[in-house]
Amino acid sequence: MSNITIISSDKNWLVHAAVEQLKSVSKLPGVVKAIGLPDLHPGKTPVGAAIITENIIYPHLIGNDIGCGMAMFMTDLEKRKLKLERLISKLSKGINNVNFDEMLLKEINQARNNQNSLGLMNKSKNSENLEEVLLQAPEYEKSISSPLGSSLGTIGGGNHFAELQETESVFDEETFSHLGFDKKQIMLLVHSGSRGYGQTILDESIKLYEAQNGLQSTSSAAKEYLSKHDNAIFWAAINRELIAYRILRALGINTHTIKLVDSSHNSVSIKECDNKLLYIHRKGASPSDAGAVVIPGSRGSLTYLVMPSDNTCISGYSLAHGAGRKCERSMCKSRLENKYTKETIKYTKFKGRVICNDNNLLFEEAPEAYKNIDTVIQSLLDFGLIKVIATFKPILTYKNN
DNA sequence: ATGTAC
């Protein structure tokens, strides 16, 4: 009997290669179940997938960007007071003007002090360990060539971004306000991860232990990986907070903000099920057993705030992490350069705008490069996995370091 | 997705 489940429908197109990748990983030793979410697409290993194992951990299934995720912050800026051109002009100057270790730590503490505690800040680790954990990345940070530089607080490339959004529709007012949302306020969504730190952790695990063969869960190698993995999860969450702080500072908006939702879609977590210890490897898959989740579409489509259902065993306790790539990166430019110039591509159909100095990336991350988020969400609804709380509309997407 | 090499 197949150990594969794919959460999809006829309307939700999936590329064959991704399904083949899912089949391939489903046959790895110790894999109990391989789940394809509706945003399943090919990567080094399948993206939009949850792989459940027993007794074995596969670092390569989580990939290099351990801890990558989506954090949504509520800003102090009211929707009615937003002046887009002014914000664009401010943000175009960049967000990083602190590049020294000591200053960086001060800045991080400032960023954290500026966030009202809803009990979310210390979710993964105690904040007292902040400096210790952050500086446990020293081998990586010190290896960065620029003097005293740090990658902490930087967005990175690829599909990473920071984006101002406004509430489009609220479908569940009670949950919306219970989570702390206020539709009058502008939201800030940050998608970033552990930068080179996670990469170093993956490289080390593969170099030392041939991670393609997996790490026996009782081995010291597995314990070492999991410990570093946890640090990367924490580091990535702080990274998103610091990015939010820097964006708001650059915009001249009150940097006091509230992080309402944050979840990582690249991680491994341990879950006890039927007296068995399961390792849930998520690669481009958000957890559906840890509260509300933000699922963005693209800069030209809506972002969804959803509440997972109580029992999501069928999807490996996971949800789609976005719309899923439809068009290969290398194909985007040629396919879209008749439709857009390098200037017109900075405008979206919602009258949103993009700040991005990388011309290729503007095309690679164009809305047309992604599937329809509404169809992806519909598949999650069809399988009874979520309830939609609200949708948000992108206003300004920032895609530089 | 990454830092680095080209």
Side-chain angles (χ1 to χ4, degrees), chain A residues 94-163:
Chain A
I95 63 168
N96 305 333
N97 55 18
V98 177
N99 269 323
F100 301 92
D101 283 349
E102 201 182 327
M103 286 301 288
L104 186 67
L105 276 170
K106 276 186 193 165
E107 196 188 23
I108 292 159
N109 284 317
Q110 188 71 32
R112 290 176 69 77
N113 288 338
N114 275 358
Q115 309 212 22
N116 290 353
S117 176
L118 284 182
L120 284 166
M121 302 308 298
N122 305 329
K123 209 171 172 181
S124 44
K125 285 215 179 186
N126 196 313
S127 61
E128 287 166 29
N129 297 331
L130 179 65
E131 289 193 21
E132 190 187 320
V133 173
L134 293 177
L135 296 175
Q136 268 188 24
E139 312 92 63
Y140 167 65
E141 290 291 0
K142 279 174 190 164
S143 73
I144 294 176
S145 54
S146 65
L148 302 172
S150 174
S151 59
L152 195 61
T154 60
I155 295 173
N159 55 6
H160 290 172
F161 61 82
E163 188 169 85

Side-chain angles (χ1 to χ4, degrees), chain A residues 74-78 82 87 90 114 164 185-186 188 244-245 247-257:
Chain A
M74 189 162 78
T75 79
D76 200 42
L77 178 63
E78 285 182 44
L82 183 136
L87 296 182
K90 285 181 176 170
N114 275 358
L164 295 178
Q185 303 302 124
I186 294 295
L188 173 59
Y245 174 81
I247 290 272
L248 296 173
R249 185 182 56 187
L251 289 172
I253 300 173
N254 189 345
T255 50
H256 283 78
T257 184

Side-chain angles (χ1 to χ4, degrees), chain A residues 71-73 165 181 187-189 258-261 294 392:
Chain A
M72 199 178 236
F73 303 80
Q165 301 188 340
F181 285 83
M187 308 301 301
L188 173 59
L189 179 64
I258 311 175
K259 184 167 73 173
L260 299 179
V261 181
V294 172
F392 303 88

Side-chain angles (χ1 to χ4, degrees), chain A residues 24 37 82 86 107 119 132 162 175 200 220 278 284 288 291 332 336 355 365 369 373 391-392:
Chain A
S24 169
L37 284 309
L82 183 136
R86 267 180 72 180
E107 196 188 23
E132 190 187 320
T175 309
T200 306
S220 59
L278 301 177
S288 56
C332 293
L336 293 172
I355 297 173
E365 294 296 319
I373 186 63
T391 54
F392 303 88

Side-chain angles (χ1 to χ4, degrees), chain A residues 40-57:
Chain A
L40 182 71
H41 61 280
K44 276 184 184 165
T45 64
V47 185
I51 314 295
I52 303 180
T53 62
E54 259 186 274
N55 305 318
I56 193 161
I57 295 161

Side-chain angles (χ1 to χ4, degrees), chain A residues 146-328:
Chain A
S146 65
L148 302 172
S150 174
S151 59
L152 195 61
T154 60
I155 295 173
N159 55 6
H160 290 172
F161 61 82
E163 188 169 85
L164 295 178
Q165 301 188 340
E166 64 179 47
T167 303
E168 171 79 0
S169 309
V170 180
F171 301 97
D172 179 347
E173 294 277 359
E174 195 183 338
T175 309
F176 188 76
S177 57
H178 186 249
L179 288 169
F181 285 83
D182 181 339
K183 61 183 118 179
K184 292 194 299 293
Q185 303 302 124
I186 294 295
M187 308 301 301
L188 173 59
L189 179 64
V190 178
H191 176 200
S192 188
S194 56
R195 313 289 277 106
Y197 183 33
Q199 176 84 62
T200 306
I201 294 167
L202 176 63
D203 289 350
E204 281 173 359
S205 78
I206 288 177
K207 213 181 285 174
L208 294 172
Y209 316 113
E210 296 185 49
Q212 298 278 348
N213 298 327
L215 306 171
Q216 289 302 318
S217 56
T218 51
S219 68
S220 59
K223 282 169 192 157
E224 198 174 311
Y225 172 77
L226 285 176
S227 161
K228 289 178 179 173
H229 160 282
D230 290 350
N231 282 341
I233 295 280
F234 181 71
W235 195 98
I238 300 292
N239 191 34
R240 290 187 284 277
E241 292 178 9
L242 187 52
I243 290 164
Y245 174 81
R246 288 177 167 188
I247 290 272
L248 296 173
R249 185 182 56 187
L251 289 172
I253 300 173
N254 189 345
T255 50
H256 283 78
T257 184
I258 311 175
K259 184 167 73 173
L260 299 179
V261 181
D262 187 17
S263 60
S264 169
H265 47 240
N266 293 345
S267 71
V268 58
S269 61
I270 304 168
K271 194 171 181 80
E272 202 180 326
C273 276
D274 303 329
N275 295 321
K276 285 177 186 165
L277 275 187
L278 301 177
Y279 293 92
I280 304 180
H281 302 67
R282 295 187 178 95
K283 172 63 181 171
S286 295
S288 56
D289 56 358
V293 174
V294 172
I295 307 178
S298 70
R299 66 180 185 234
S301 57
L302 296 177
T303 286
Y304 282 75
L305 173 67
V306 306
M307 185 58 81
S309 306
D310 289 338
N311 188 348
T312 54
C313 179
I314 188 174
S315 69
Y317 308 98
S318 303
L319 300 176
H321 79 312
R325 181 163 284 279
K326 174 174 75 177
C327 182
E328 270 179 58

